Amino acid sequence: MSLSPQTIRIQRRLSEWTQRGRKHWDLYRWVFDPFVLSDAIKLVIRNGGTAGPDGMQVSELKGREWETATQLSRDIRSGAYQPGAVRRVYIPKADGRERPLGIPNVLDRVVQRALALLLEPIYEQVFLPCSYGFRPRCKSVQCIALVAQTVYDHRQVLDADIEDFFGQVVHRKLLGMLREKIVDPRVLRLIHRILRSGFCEWGKPWQATAQGTPQGGPLSPMLANIYLHYALDVKLWPVLQQSRGRLHLYRFADDFVVVGRERGEMQFIRNLIAGWLAEAGLNLHPKKTRLVDMRNSRRGYDSHFDFLGYRIHLRAYRDNPKRFWIARQPSLKARKALHDNLRNRLVANASLTDASQICQQVWRGWANYFRYGNSNRILYKECHSVSRAFWRYLRRKYRRQRRPVPWRVLRVHLQRVKKQTRPPRCIPDLLRQRPRQLRWA
């Protein structure tokens, strides 16, 4: 979505001031700028989502963006605005546990999106090139391509995962990190109120949040990048520069990998990272953090790791089975997520038109993400799994009744879905694509 010229002018000014080394002491006057809030409302409407604890829907903002922006601007300027609690829901994880997800109120989402629009041009001048998560001009598939290319040259990988990152962020440390660039006390106070707004669950009273940032708000990805920038990237970057190309760091939000050449050096880096994260109140996950040996002579069952939904593993050359190259394909967890998504959405009470659209939407989103790699064979297999899921839907809806519909009639709909869910063309070399330029750069 194209932003208004006023918002683009503000972002360009913030970017230039940050490049000059200026600290921002008057950022609050742009938080309640009506043009910034109007663009934030449009972004919230485009993103959609469910209602927060106050019950207000995103659709209620359509057609009255400027009216809502001016009213919210007056509330923020006068100090009458107070962020409300978030609605906490739980999403099941693959290991059987549940991930807490916070859903703020619609107006709170607008304010958080406005803060993200102002913080983005400031910290884009600060973030290091090893950070790829939730940043403009940085895609996860580009990060995966760089990781695969670097692993092919180095072969030693530290696959790291931070345990409960969004729930362990220390508010005091985060605000201290923000003061490195933002010294406006009103903005810091607003962010602190957002972090301490608390959460509510169904059938339970309001609960305060002593630490952590609600995963699900528009501002959480930016705060997570800022926290890990100062807790990890800044401390590890001089070590990477002194290694002269022997060590490389790739981080996407709280998931990161370190690629090197020597196993002893990787163990030393692991101990360093564990100590730095402990200073920030974070811990490496003991079971998900491991050293992976990707050398040809050490190839085994554990010579693979999952990163951003992809599985990076060794594959033998056809002309020389003793030599291996680095392939990236959809992980088993991602394939299972596709099957579960289709099974949960293709219910028997859905109409034929809705079921066909569900198959197209789910398959298009999944296949377009995993087309960047070496996934031709898996894409063809999963394309058949979509057809099987639709076939099971037809069987539940039209065959389990007193007068079942003949298969010769249902086969027409099945063939139509097969034509609509064809595997896309894979793009193995993504690094040659030219990144787009930012409008305020």
Side-chain angles (χ1 to χ4, degrees):
M1 190 196 75
S2 59
L3 302 178
S4 62
Q6 173 74 5
T7 304
I8 297 174
R9 194 178 304 113
I10 293 173
Q11 288 184 331
R12 185 178 293 114
R13 187 177 302 175
L14 293 175
S15 175
E16 293 175 355
W17 287 349
T18 307
Q19 290 177 1
R20 298 174 188 172
R22 170 185 169 178
K23 291 189 177 183
H24 302 276
W25 50 268
D26 55 349
L27 191 63
Y28 193 75
R29 64 189 175 105
W30 284 321
V31 175
F32 56 80
D33 187 279
F35 292 95
V36 176
L37 290 173
S38 178
D39 290 335
I41 291 174
K42 295 177 183 178
L43 290 173
V44 169
I45 293 175
R46 189 183 69 170
N47 191 47
T50 60
D54 61 353
M56 183 179 181
Q57 300 289 339
V58 179
S59 58
E60 299 180 24
L61 298 178
K62 293 183 178 179
R64 45 193 301 266
E65 291 88 351
W66 184 254
E67 177 185 354
T68 306
T70 53
Q71 179 61 40
L72 190 58
S73 174
R74 287 193 293 266
D75 293 343
I76 297 175
R77 187 171 186 175
S78 63
Y81 169 76
Q82 293 293 332
V86 300
R87 180 166 64 91
R88 174 168 288 188
V89 296
Y90 292 92
I91 301 176
K93 300 176 66 174
D95 54 1
R97 298 181 300 170
E98 293 182 332
R99 181 193 303 274
L101 183 68
I103 303 176
N105 295 324
V106 175
L107 294 182
D108 294 339
R109 273 180 259 176
V110 172
V111 177
Q112 292 186 31
R113 178 61 68 182
L115 284 170
L117 287 175
L118 299 177
L119 294 179
E120 183 180 278
I122 297 175
Y123 283 96
E124 278 300 314
Q125 315 302 323
V126 179
F127 288 153
L128 297 176
C130 58
S131 175
Y132 286 84
F134 307 107
R135 295 179 57 190
R137 200 171 49 186
C138 296
K139 298 181 179 179
S140 58
V141 290
Q142 293 176 341
C143 182
I144 285 291
L146 284 171
V147 168
Q149 185 182 48
T150 309
V151 171
Y152 180 79
D153 297 330
H154 294 72
R155 301 294 178 138
Q156 294 291 339
V157 181
L158 171 61
D159 181 19
D161 184 84
I162 301 177
E163 186 176 8
D164 190 19
F165 168 71
F166 286 92
Q168 300 297 326
V169 172
V170 182
H171 295 168
R172 178 177 54 83
K173 294 182 180 294
L174 176 58
L175 293 175
M177 296 172 182
L178 288 170
R179 289 190 184 95
E180 294 289 333
K181 291 297 177 182
I182 301 171
V183 293
D184 192 338
R186 297 168 296 177
V187 174
L188 298 176
R189 196 179 305 117
L190 177 60
I191 295 176
H192 191 214
R193 287 203 301 263
I194 292 174
L195 295 174
R196 298 295 298 270
S197 60
F199 64 93
C200 55
E201 301 179 10
W202 177 258
K204 295 182 180 180
W206 173 85
Q207 302 179 47
T209 51
Q211 62 180 9
T213 174
Q215 187 176 1
L219 190 60
S220 295
M222 175 62 66
L223 297 180
N225 274 336
I226 295 172
Y227 198 82
L228 285 177
H229 170 77
Y230 289 102
L232 177 64
D233 298 352
V234 172
K235 297 180 180 180
L236 187 57
W237 189 253
V239 180
L240 301 180
Q241 296 295 319
Q242 293 176 4
S243 67
R244 297 182 180 179
R246 295 196 314 271
L247 295 173
H248 298 270
L249 170 66
Y250 299 97
R251 183 177 64 80
F252 194 94
D254 58 328
D255 296 330
F256 64 93
V257 296
V258 182
V259 186
R261 296 183 184 274
E262 301 294 335
R263 190 170 184 84
E265 192 174 27
M266 298 300 296
Q267 185 64 46
F268 175 72
I269 291 296
R270 176 176 181 173
N271 296 334
L272 280 180
I273 291 176
W276 291 332
L277 293 180
E279 294 178 0
L282 305 174
N283 297 311
L284 290 175
H285 200 290
K287 295 182 179 180
K288 296 182 180 180
T289 302
R290 62 191 185 99
L291 293 174
V292 185
D293 195 342
M294 304 286 284
R295 290 177 296 180
N296 295 345
S297 59
R298 298 291 183 177
R299 180 178 183 267
Y301 180 78
D302 294 331
S303 299
H304 64 80
F305 64 96
D306 296 343
F307 188 57
L308 301 182
Y310 281 83
R311 167 158 291 191
I312 300 178
H313 60 97
L314 295 175
R315 180 180 289 182
Y317 286 96
R318 291 184 178 180
D319 56 347
N320 190 354
K322 295 183 179 180
R323 293 184 64 244
F324 304 93
W325 57 285
I326 305 298
R328 57 187 190 276
Q329 295 175 337
S331 63
L332 298 178
K333 181 179 177 181
R335 298 174 67 178
K336 184 178 181 300
L338 172 66
H339 303 161
D340 295 342
N341 194 11
L342 290 171
R343 186 184 304 108
N344 296 332
R345 298 185 63 179
L346 290 177
V347 292
N349 58 358
S351 63
L352 269 174
T353 304
D354 294 341
S356 176
Q357 292 179 354
I358 288 172
C359 289
Q360 293 182 50
Q361 294 173 0
V362 173
W363 172 249
R364 189 182 302 115
W366 192 88
N368 286 339
Y369 178 74
F370 289 106
R371 66 185 298 186
Y372 300 99
N374 320 105
S375 311
N376 277 317
R377 184 167 52 185
I378 292 181
L379 286 178
Y380 274 96
K381 288 183 179 180
E382 298 305 330
C383 187
H384 291 299
S385 69
V386 176
S387 303
R388 287 195 301 269
F390 189 77
W391 176 81
R392 286 193 294 267
Y393 156 78
L394 293 176
R395 186 180 61 181
R396 288 194 304 267
K397 185 175 181 65
Y398 295 103
R399 296 292 296 176
R400 295 179 180 177
Q401 52 188 353
R402 187 173 181 180
R403 293 182 179 180
V405 180
W407 273 114
R408 65 175 181 272
V409 178
L410 300 178
R411 194 173 293 112
V412 177
H413 303 285
L414 183 60
Q415 294 297 330
R416 185 182 299 113
V417 170
K418 286 184 178 180
K419 291 182 180 180
Q420 294 171 349
T421 56
R422 293 181 177 179
R425 180 180 65 89
C426 286
I427 304 177
D429 190 1
L430 183 67
L431 301 180
R432 296 182 180 180
Q433 296 186 0
R434 188 176 182 179
R436 66 181 181 89
Q437 296 294 327
L438 299 178
R439 59 172 61 90
W440 38 263

